Each structure stands twice: as C-alpha cells, then as structure tokens.
Amino acid sequence: MLKGNRYLQIGLAITGVVTVLAVLGLFWTPYDPSAMNSAEMYMAPSLRHIFGTDNFGRDVFSRVMKGISTTYLISLCTVAMGAAVGVIVGALTGYFGGIVDDILMRVNDAVTAFPSILLALVFISLLGFGKYNVILALGVAFVPSYARVVRSEFARHREMNYVKSARLMGATDRRIMFVHILPNTRAVILPTLVIGFNNAVLAEASLSYLGIGVRSPDVSLGYMLSESQSYMATAPWYVLCTGATIVLLILGFSLLGEGLQQGRR
Amino acid sequence: MLEIKDLHVQFHTSDHEAVRGISLRVDDGEIMGLVGESGSGKSVTAMMIAGLLREDRVRTEGRILLDGRDMLAVDGDDLLSYQGKEIGVVFQEPMSALNPVMRIGPQVEESLRVHTKLSKEERRELALQAMRDVELDDVEEVYRKFPHELSGGMLQRVCIAAAIISRPRLLLADEPTTALDVTIQAQILELLKRLNRERDMSILFISHNLHVVRKLCTRVAVMQKGRIVEEGETEQVFHHPRDPYTQRLIAAIPTRRKIDE
C-alpha cells in the first residue's frame, strides 16, 4: 500500500514530524512556553530562538510545540468521541433499519442542521470555557458525519451472504455488527477519520481564534493565531510560524487521507 | 424429521405470494432434492427453513416442523439455539459466503463459539477435524489463510466444514455446486453423499440442475411458480413424470443424442 503511493509517503512523513513535536511538547520544550523575559522581546528568529520571541519575550518555538500538543490532543479526542458514538449510531441504524433508523437519523439531521461552530458555541456558553468543553462540543458536532458513513456501509454489508451465514450459525446481532461487519468497513472509515481529524484541527483553531476555545495558560495553535495578529507588524514571525504550522498539520493529514483512499482502490 | 405443511410466503414488498402453499417432507438420513427454475420459490423456501426470513420481511402462513417443533413460532434466542446447531446451510457462492477480512479457521468455528463453551484449543481441534472431513489438504495451513487465498472448490469445502461442524441433523444446500466447474462439482457431490452416509445427516438439496439432482437425491420435489407440482422417488419421477411441467423439464436435459442431432 505504501509502495508507489506518493500521497501516503509524504503524508506520513509530515504527520510523523508533527506528531513527534506534539508528543515531545507534552514533556519538554526548549524554553518554558509561558516564561516571560523582558530582555528578549520581539526577537527575530535566530539560533537561540529559532521561531523568534513574542511581545512578552516568550519563545515562539516552545509555544508552537505546546500549541501543537494541545491542538493535537483536542482533535484526537474529538475524533475519538465523534467516531465512537458515530460508529455505534451508524451500526445500529444501518444494521437494523426500520424505526431505529428513522429516529436516530432524524436526530442526526437535527444536529447536522446547525453549523458546527454555532453548535459548539451553544455548548460552550452552557458548559463554560476550557479544552475539555471544546472537546465535548466538537465531538457532538462531529457525530453525524461519522454516523452517516458507517450507516451506509452497514446497510450495504447487512445483505451480504457472509453476514447471512454468520446469522445462520447463530451469531448474535452484536457479534455480527462488531466482529463481522465492522472490520470490513475499515477501508471506508479510516480515510473518514483522517479527514475528520483535519476538520477538528480547523474547528478548534476557529473556536480558539474567536476566543471561545482554549484559554491561557493553555496554548493552542488557534489561540496563538489570534494572539499574534496584534503584533503582525512588529513580530511577523510569530503569526507566520503559527500559521505555517497549522497549514503543515492540515496538509499532512490531507495527504494521508488521500493516500489511504487511493490505497483501497 | 423436517416437515413443511401448507407453507405460504409473501414479501411485504410484493403483491403476490412467492410460495403458495407447499407441503414437503425430509426423512431422517435421506437426500431430498428440490428443483425448479429461477423464481420458482425454492430459495425462498430454503430461507424460510433456515430462519433467515422473519416477519419484518414476509407474511407467512402454515408450519415448518423440525422434529415436531414449529419453527415459525420460535423467535429470538430460541431461534439462535437451533440455527447452526440443528440446521447447517451451504450457499451458492462460497466466496461471498465468507467474511473477506477474517481467517478461515475462526469462520469454520463460528457456530461452536455460539453454541458451545469449548475452549479455544478444543474449537480449533474440531475445526481442523471438520476440515479434514471435507477432504481439505494441509488443514493447519488453510486454517490460517484468508478467503481470497483459496480456490472456489476449496472455499466451498470450507463452507461445508463450517456448516457441519456442530453436527447438524439437516444440511440445507442451496445450489452449492452451481458456481463451480464440472470436475469440482462432481467432487463436492461425492463429498455430500459421503457426509450423508457417514454422519447420518439429512440433506435438502436445492438446484435447477436436474442432472445433478438425479445423481444425488433419493427423492425429489419439483417446484413451479411457488407450488410443488410433482414429488416422488427420483427414478420414478425421471422415468414416469406425471406433471406436464416436469415432463418438459426432463425433456430439456441435454443428452448426447440431442447434442449430436
């Protein structure tokens, strides 16, 4: 699958680098990302501070590392939550059809009808700020997209002979759904997960940029973007490095998703 | 052992009955043939016996008795308890009847996993034994393979192994040889005959191929448009068909003389 698949190769390389930075950022950064230093304000990128420093003299590279960690964590949890619920809802509706399908899919439609940012906004105004509430809000907003994909796959596989034979051997519905059908849908679900991760990165960035997502002392890429724009003229490296990191993150996962989709053809 | 009494089946999506009042009997240890053209209702009958068609899809009348127990009346957990244990099923397309992402071994064991509390090793031992019984070679190796790594004939043997592993008393074979080439077809028929003899397992063999049915079955029923038009000892039916439809069917079997002409 990897051989000759350029998208997958480059995608893996980029996401690999970003992932290493994210994991590293959890434990170690070159400088303390929140330590201010009035002697080193607005320093341009140099060997000492490779991404330069900001208005408080904080090391931008350290902050970017921390920011990737937070963004990564939020996106991962969002995708995990959306996918877990989405798979269960999709499996139930696709497999059983009928009234279960009607009810759950109408709820799904209702959730889809709200723009995800608006939905997240409502959630956060109810639950308050903080990264865990961002995860919860985005997770709920992401459920329908997964449910829809999983549902159509389950509906397709339900009629296949291997499912019938499993049923004939007395396998329970739960076993058929999760042991027999689910592994067969991975080729469709995997790219969807990766694309979903991208959307989560963008959604988190948007929320934090609007000031309703992550709050100080937590740092996320979106939060940094909104912080850095005030100093665009004096410290352009801050906004550029942060923006470039987001682009890289999205690009890497887009290529990965594209590569996975090509791999299954 | 299996008795169908005046069975009617109608799909909710259709305005006429797919099966219009058939009665049929399969005795202990016999191979019963059910023949008919596409759309004659023979597969629907098989699916009804297997319990694959339930009230959400069809409206039914009549009774299907397995050892005197009405199977149309059981549902839920009771249904699971006889599926795969009392009745084994083999489909037409072996490739599609197996899960493409699961190894062969676990698929053969499936009904044991549901119906017994055997340990993993015991299940494996029984699976290997069943695979030897259906004359597969290198069973240890086949056990670890995926369906796409085997040929059609081997896959059909795997399906038969999976169907007989729990020692069902009835094997439902729905066109099991249609998708296979002629030499493999003959081998599978021999295998079914042997399993019938050695395991004292009744077989309901469904086919549109009269030639195959004649070689295998002791008795035969002919279906047309949802009804059974003729039933009897195989040789009796073939030599002295009473129903005009059966007569036409038999006349349509290609023989050497006809081909020469």
Side-chain angles (χ1 to χ4, degrees):
Chain A
M1 190 162 159
L2 195 60
K3 208 174 167 192
N5 191 334
R6 265 287 144 78
Y7 288 109
L8 201 58
Q9 289 166 354
I10 300 174
L12 275 176
I14 297 178
T15 49
V17 171
V18 177
T19 308
V20 166
L21 283 179
V23 174
L24 200 62
L26 283 176
F27 309 104
W28 177 85
T29 47
Y31 297 85
D32 180 348
S34 347
M36 303 182 193
N37 184 347
S38 52
E40 294 183 340
M41 292 194 308
Y42 302 118
M43 280 179 68
S46 62
L47 278 177
R48 196 168 148 74
H49 297 285
I50 53 174
F51 282 4
T53 61
D54 69 358
N55 56 318
F56 293 122
R58 297 175 296 195
D59 180 50
V60 172
F61 186 66
S62 300
R63 287 180 74 73
V64 164
M65 273 174 77
K66 202 78 195 166
I68 298 177
S69 294
T70 313
T71 300
Y72 215 102
L73 188 79
I74 290 176
S75 306
L76 221 52
C77 292
T78 301
V79 169
M81 189 180 140
V85 181
V87 163
I88 291 170
V89 171
L92 288 174
T93 53
Y95 183 75
F96 288 112
I99 184 103
V100 186
D101 188 21
D102 284 340
I103 295 173
L104 285 174
M105 285 329 270
R106 290 304 79 76
V107 174
N108 223 6
D109 288 344
V111 177
T112 321
F114 292 98
S116 51
I117 293 280
L118 193 66
L119 199 69
L121 215 97
V122 171
F123 257 87
I124 283 164
S125 53
L126 287 175
L127 298 170
F129 297 99
K131 62 179 167 189
Y132 298 106
N133 291 337
V134 172
I135 292 172
L136 197 63
L138 290 179
V140 170
F142 274 51
V143 167
S145 59
Y146 294 114
R148 220 159 265 289
V149 172
V150 176
R151 175 182 176 272
S152 68
E153 277 297 286
F154 268 69
R156 192 163 68 82
H157 281 270
R158 176 180 66 187
E159 297 303 325
M160 290 196 174
N161 276 337
Y162 77 88
V163 172
K164 284 185 189 161
S165 9
R167 197 172 301 151
L168 284 171
M169 288 170 193
T172 57
D173 287 328
R174 202 177 59 195
R175 185 173 164 78
I176 292 174
M177 281 193 278
F178 296 108
V179 178
H180 289 276
I181 301 183
L182 192 58
N184 271 299
T185 59
R186 64 178 176 194
V188 176
I189 294 179
L190 218 57
T192 316
L193 286 183
V194 175
I195 293 163
F197 182 88
N198 260 351
N199 291 335
V201 169
L202 285 176
E204 185 279 323
S206 316
L207 284 183
S208 298
Y209 181 80
L210 292 174
I212 52 173
V214 169
R215 293 232 142 165
S216 191
D218 280 336
V219 189
S220 82
L221 293 174
Y223 177 79
M224 287 167 64
L225 213 53
S226 92
E227 197 182 55
S228 61
Q229 67 175 358
S230 326
Y231 313 105
M232 221 190 287
T234 33
W237 46 86
Y238 191 9
V239 68
L240 284 177
C241 291
T242 309
T245 310
I246 296 180
V247 170
L248 205 64
L249 191 60
I250 303 280
L251 181 69
F253 275 92
S254 298
L255 291 173
L256 196 65
E258 183 65 31
L260 283 173
Q261 243 159 10
Q262 289 203 342
R264 77 172 219 255
R265 275 180 218 127
Chain B
M1 64 166 302
L2 177 78
E3 201 172 1
I4 301 176
K5 284 183 177 168
D6 195 30
L7 179 71
H8 293 258
V9 182
Q10 181 172 0
F11 284 88
H12 293 320
T13 50
S14 160
D15 56 357
H16 64 274
E17 291 185 335
V19 175
R20 315 178 186 184
I22 65 163
S23 295
L24 191 71
R25 192 183 87 240
V26 183
D27 295 329
D28 279 317
E30 80 167 342
I31 306 184
M32 174 81 190
L34 186 59
V35 293
E37 60 193 18
S38 307
S40 60
K42 52 192 200 307
S43 286
V44 173
T45 308
M47 275 154 81
M48 282 304 302
I49 298 170
L52 270 182
L53 285 175
R54 305 299 291 174
E55 280 147 18
D56 58 329
R57 301 269 304 277
V58 291
R59 191 186 56 74
T60 57
E61 258 173 59
R63 297 203 286 175
I64 299 177
L65 301 169
L66 185 70
D67 295 323
R69 203 157 67 119
D70 190 353
M71 297 178 5
L72 289 180
V74 292
D75 51 25
D77 294 343
D78 285 344
L79 189 70
L80 291 182
S81 75
Y82 79 71
Q83 277 175 348
K85 203 161 128 209
E86 301 289 334
I87 302 179
V89 181
V90 179
F91 285 105
Q92 175 175 352
E93 279 280 346
M95 192 72 200
S96 72
L98 293 167
N99 188 337
V101 301
M102 218 168 157
R103 290 178 199 277
I104 296 294
Q107 302 203 52
V108 174
E109 289 167 11
E110 183 76 18
S111 85
L112 291 180
R113 192 173 289 121
V114 178
H115 296 294
T116 67
K117 290 193 163 43
L118 296 174
S119 70
K120 206 175 160 201
E121 286 72 33
E122 290 169 316
R123 283 205 304 262
R124 185 187 144 88
E125 220 26 70
L126 282 174
L128 292 176
Q129 188 52 48
M131 284 157 79
R132 276 185 214 109
D133 267 10
V134 296
E135 293 155 20
L136 279 166
D137 298 324
D138 302 325
V139 286
E140 302 262 347
E141 201 174 310
V142 174
Y143 187 93
R144 284 193 302 271
K145 288 198 163 161
F146 285 102
H148 67 265
E149 297 175 286
L150 302 180
S151 69
M154 287 169 88
L155 287 173
Q156 195 56 290
R157 286 171 196 274
V158 167
C159 289
I160 295 174
I164 63 167
I165 191 165
S166 289
R167 300 201 161 258
R169 300 186 42 224
L170 175 68
L171 184 70
L172 263 180
D174 190 358
E175 307 251 10
T177 59
T178 309
L180 305 173
D181 63 51
V182 185
T183 42
I184 308 292
Q185 205 170 35
Q187 291 171 11
I188 296 283
L189 291 179
E190 276 312 308
L191 173 66
L192 287 175
K193 258 188 188 169
R194 187 174 64 74
L195 291 171
N196 163 257
R197 215 168 44 234
E198 289 175 3
R199 295 193 164 213
D200 194 32
M201 173 180 70
S202 311
I203 298 178
L204 180 58
F205 187 88
I206 295 165
S207 180
H208 64 264
N209 189 332
L210 289 168
H211 185 64
V212 167
V213 167
R214 189 175 186 175
K215 277 205 283 191
L216 188 71
C217 304
T218 39
R219 285 194 309 127
V220 60
V222 182
M223 271 188 95
Q224 185 201 16
K225 293 181 182 161
R227 287 200 179 83
I228 288 185
V229 293
E230 182 147 9
E231 187 191 343
E233 302 288 323
T234 308
E235 285 311 307
Q236 183 77 25
V237 171
F238 273 83
H239 284 120
H240 308 287
R242 278 170 295 141
D243 186 83
Y245 177 69
T246 318
Q247 286 166 6
R248 272 184 288 132
L249 267 186
I250 290 169
I253 300 177
T255 62
R256 187 162 299 159
R257 197 181 310 138
K258 276 190 222 153
I259 292 165
D260 289 344
E261 281 166 9

